Amino acid sequence: MATAQEQFGIEDVLFKQGLLTAQQLSAVKLESINSGSSTEQVITQHQLVAPAKMTAARASLMGVPFINLEGKAVSSEVLNFVPEVVARRYRIIPFDKKGDKLFVAMADPLDLQVIQFIEKKSALYVKPYLAVPEDIMKAIGDQYSQNLTSEVTSALKEVSELQATETAVEEKAEVIHEAPVANIITQLLQFAVSSRASDIHIEPLDDRTRVRYRIDGILHEKIILPRTVHDALVSRIKILSNLKIEEKRLPQDGRFSYSAGKDIYDLRVSTVPTIYGEKVVMRLLPKTTVPPTLQELGLRGIALKNFETQILRPHGIVLICGPTGSGKTTTLYSVLTRLSTTKVNMVTVEDPVEYQIPGANQVQVNPAIGLTFASALRSFLRQDPNIMLVGEVRDTETAELAVQAALTGHQVFSTLHTNTAAGALPRLLDMGIEPFLLASSINACVGQRILRKLCTHCKSTYTPVPEIAENFRRVLGNLYPKEKPIILYKGTGCAECGGTGYQGRIGIYEVLVVSSKIMPMVLERASSQAIEEESIKEGMITLKQDGYMKALEGTTSLEEVLRVAEE
């Protein structure tokens, strides 16, 4: 079988895998003959196949397995088998160990001298894998520097020694206050702050505990901890959050503060029992952060003008729509911060209160004592409000109260879980709101998503294939000159962005104004598609169009737009 494979070149393997078309295959072979370059160099030069797919094809030719190192965390125990200096010199990194086998990613898995050297040093049988060389070097930088430091490693040893002796619950509480576990928590929090993470996930698995960070909206597995330290770690977090240490059967919620230099973070803690133990998620909310302006969020042009016009109206409802994690709350905070003055009475009901708005009266729901969105909203009407924020329209009662508040001269802001701005109107009708009340009360619906911004330090341009360029022209229509060439951007990865190619986030928006032409459509219970088509005729820019324009500007990549805006 190997002999049959050797007759093929890498371009043939890519063709068989459907990664190259017959036309591209012929063009690559022809250019290779004419230029004297290898077919692999030609494919790389024209960016016809992603580096990972190319390396996987090369692994297939060599008869060795391929490993994708992106987002893969490695435990300190495995890393200790190969010193960092050796890993960098030979471009290798161990990524797993099972029994007497050490799994090693290599730039050259056929280098027998290196394999024998590692086997001799580790006293283990080495199973070589092929990986993208750039990914190996990035993984070395990430894992050896961001993995458990020597201080945490020593702390783990101390924890193991402490756990070796059985102690009572009261004594355990004192043990948890000791430096070792506290040091591990500090390391986890420091990394979260330095990497701009919004959440920390501490998850027990069968044989280990993994720590994942949500950075720019994407979860990254960064640290692997021994399973033995998990209970002590969770107990320490529970003490900091004023939760019950002995209660491991029920979910719990708490919070505590953490200082990192001049910045203070409010950490919202949630624990849930799983089959392997308690999982902890900590959300980092910076107390000192000022909400961004609407322009900083990503609104501009006709969308910004329409949105600003609607939020300045004295009464009516403005809805921010999108799935969970699409930045709806941040947009609302930005609006309220702008509108908050001494001349208006602003009241909010939220679940939970994430940021404090100067001058606003903020209430957190507490269903256990009957303080729900609806009950708080009913009370707000007796508080002489000008501006009201309802964290989310979850039920018919809340929706009806929001409509009544808007009709009686109040300005109401809220969020709704719909995929598009146009989808909000049929959703509210489905909740039982009368069409004539809805048409009279709602001013605008804003659809939004969050996508990652390209790293300004390592982004580069490229010319997309004709099919993608044609797709851009079709989606954008008159928004982009037909004669202007399509140039896109991508992030190559650098030290500034941690090798991801992205740094920071920005929103894409569609602002649907309930105009004199949309109102009759609401009365007639028109579909969301019909409402959207009419809004586009009136000049609304859709989410996908806004994303494509930001891709053309170099703010983000095409892949990122398709990830969040493709239906």
Side-chain angles (χ1 to χ4, degrees):
M1 191 69 179
T3 309
Q5 278 188 331
E6 284 163 11
Q7 294 171 359
F8 290 94
I10 193 167
E11 70 281 7
D12 298 303
V13 176
L14 293 168
F15 173 68
K16 287 186 73 175
Q17 292 175 347
L19 298 171
L20 285 180
T21 64
Q23 187 179 357
Q24 287 173 328
L25 178 66
S26 301
V28 164
K29 288 185 175 181
L30 183 61
E31 187 172 334
S32 173
I33 294 167
N34 292 335
S35 65
S37 303
S38 69
T39 51
E40 186 169 343
Q41 288 172 328
V42 173
I43 294 167
T44 304
Q45 183 184 344
H46 291 285
Q47 299 176 345
L48 297 175
V49 177
K53 299 284 188 184
M54 182 79 80
T55 308
R58 196 185 309 123
S60 175
L61 275 174
M62 296 167 71
V64 296
F66 168 75
I67 178 71
N68 187 353
L69 294 172
E70 188 178 350
K72 190 169 185 64
V74 184
S75 71
S76 55
E77 178 194 3
V78 173
L79 287 177
N80 287 338
F81 286 111
V82 179
E84 184 177 356
V85 63
V86 175
R88 287 189 179 278
R89 181 176 178 183
Y90 296 109
R91 292 194 297 176
I92 61 174
I93 185 168
F95 61 88
D96 202 1
K97 174 187 175 290
K98 290 179 182 175
D100 62 348
K101 288 183 180 178
L102 183 66
F103 298 86
V104 181
M106 306 177 68
D108 181 9
L110 301 182
D111 192 335
L112 296 177
Q113 282 188 320
V114 173
I115 292 172
Q116 288 169 357
F117 171 73
I118 301 168
E119 286 182 337
K120 188 175 181 181
K121 186 169 182 60
S122 64
L124 295 169
Y125 170 73
V126 169
K127 175 70 175 172
Y129 279 68
L130 180 66
V132 179
E134 291 78 9
D135 287 357
I136 293 175
M137 299 310 292
K138 177 184 175 298
I140 291 170
D142 287 348
Q143 301 299 332
Y144 283 96
S145 62
Q146 295 172 359
N147 208 288
L148 301 175
T149 62
S150 56
E151 294 156 340
V152 178
T153 306
S154 63
L156 287 171
K157 289 179 181 175
E158 289 184 51
V159 171
S160 300
E161 290 167 9
L162 289 169
Q163 288 178 332
T165 57
E166 286 294 326
T167 55
V169 171
E170 294 78 15
E171 293 176 78
K172 269 191 178 177
E174 292 303 315
V175 167
I176 288 158
H177 278 292
E178 300 283 340
V181 176
N183 190 22
I184 295 172
I185 299 288
T186 302
Q187 294 286 337
L188 297 182
L189 293 175
Q190 282 178 353
F191 179 73
V193 171
S194 65
S195 61
R196 302 170 292 104
S198 60
D199 301 84
I200 308 172
H201 292 239
I202 301 173
E203 301 169 298
L205 302 177
D206 185 22
D207 56 346
R208 64 193 189 281
T209 290
R210 71 175 177 183
V211 182
R212 295 194 290 171
Y213 293 86
R214 191 174 292 281
I215 303 169
D216 291 336
I218 305 293
L219 275 173
H220 298 269
E221 187 178 293
K222 291 290 184 182
I223 298 174
I224 299 294
L225 293 169
R227 186 67 180 81
T228 52
V229 79
H230 183 81
D231 289 343
L233 209 59
V234 172
S235 297
R236 171 64 181 168
I237 293 169
K238 282 184 172 181
I239 287 173
L240 291 170
S241 312
N242 291 319
L243 302 178
K244 296 176 182 177
I245 301 175
E246 65 279 5
E247 181 54 82
K248 299 182 179 182
R249 301 164 301 169
L250 295 172
Q252 296 187 68
D253 295 303
R255 59 174 59 204
F256 67 94
S257 293
Y258 171 70
S259 298
K262 294 180 181 179
D263 297 321
I264 300 174
Y265 291 84
D266 191 20
L267 276 92
R268 209 170 71 219
V269 179
S270 170
T271 69
V272 294
T274 72
I275 57 172
Y276 295 121
E278 287 182 282
K279 175 184 173 176
V280 178
V281 175
M282 295 186 282
R283 168 155 288 188
L284 284 80
L285 302 168
K287 283 187 175 180
T288 50
T289 299
V290 178
T293 63
L294 295 178
Q295 290 91 333
E296 289 170 343
L297 287 173
L299 275 156
R300 74 275 175 86
I302 188 70
L304 176 61
K305 180 177 178 293
N306 287 341
F307 191 43
E308 285 183 326
T309 301
Q310 297 308 314
I311 65 174
L312 293 174
R313 291 179 68 176
H315 55 80
I317 300 174
V318 174
L319 286 174
I320 312 294
C321 310
T324 302
S326 60
K328 300 186 296 295
T329 305
T330 303
T331 300
L332 282 179
Y333 276 124
S334 298
V335 171
L336 294 191
T337 302
R338 176 172 172 173
L339 298 178
S340 180
T341 68
T342 55
K343 296 179 181 179
V344 296
N345 177 23
M346 184 182 289
V347 289
T348 80
V349 55
E350 305 166 61
D351 182 21
V353 174
E354 293 191 9
Y355 297 100
Q356 294 177 3
I357 304 168
N361 305 287
Q362 294 174 269
V363 175
Q364 180 161 320
V365 299
N366 188 347
I369 59 170
L371 181 56
T372 62
F373 281 119
S375 63
L377 196 50
R378 196 176 285 108
S379 301
F380 284 171
L381 293 170
R382 297 191 290 273
Q383 287 279 317
D384 184 31
N386 299 102
I387 299 171
M388 302 165 68
L389 181 146
V390 185
E392 185 185 339
V393 176
R394 291 181 178 173
D395 51 48
T396 302
E397 187 181 7
T398 306
E400 288 174 345
L401 286 166
V403 167
Q404 289 300 326
L407 291 173
T408 51
H410 302 92
Q411 197 174 14
V412 181
F413 295 93
S414 190
T415 68
L416 198 62
H417 282 145
T418 58
N419 288 328
T420 62
L425 298 168
R427 174 69 60 84
L428 289 171
L429 292 172
D430 289 342
M431 283 184 174
I433 306 299
E434 291 295 338
F436 68 93
L437 293 177
L438 186 62
S440 306
S441 61
I442 196 145
N443 292 339
C445 302
V446 180
Q448 74 172 80
R449 299 287 190 279
I450 291 184
L451 38 75
R452 293 178 292 171
K453 291 166 66 177
L454 285 171
C455 173
T456 54
H457 298 89
C458 66
K459 72 176 178 182
S460 59
T461 60
Y462 71 96
T463 303
V465 296
E467 293 87 349
I468 291 176
E470 184 56 37
N471 178 254
F472 261 80
R473 298 192 192 283
R474 182 175 52 79
V475 170
L476 293 177
N478 296 328
L479 296 172
Y480 193 77
K482 289 184 178 179
E483 66 279 358
K484 197 172 180 182
I486 302 282
I487 304 293
L488 297 179
Y489 297 77
K490 64 177 180 178
T492 54
C494 64
E496 291 290 332
C497 60
T500 61
Y502 298 95
Q503 192 172 38
R505 291 194 285 176
I506 196 166
I508 53 174
Y509 295 85
E510 58 183 18
V511 179
L512 187 155
V513 177
V514 181
S515 63
S516 56
K517 290 186 177 178
I518 300 290
M519 278 187 184
M521 299 181 75
V522 175
L523 293 171
E524 294 165 7
R525 295 180 178 268
S527 67
S528 59
Q529 185 178 354
I531 292 171
E532 183 173 284
E533 286 172 0
E534 179 58 39
S535 298
I536 292 170
K537 286 179 186 175
E538 294 182 5
M540 182 183 82
I541 294 170
T542 66
L543 282 171
K544 196 169 184 179
Q545 287 176 330
D546 192 24
Y548 273 22
M549 287 193 287
K550 286 184 169 74
L552 287 169
E553 291 169 358
T555 305
T556 189
S557 67
L558 170 63
E559 292 78 12
E560 191 67 7
V561 175
L562 295 176
R563 181 179 70 85
V564 301
E566 188 79 312
E567 294 179 1

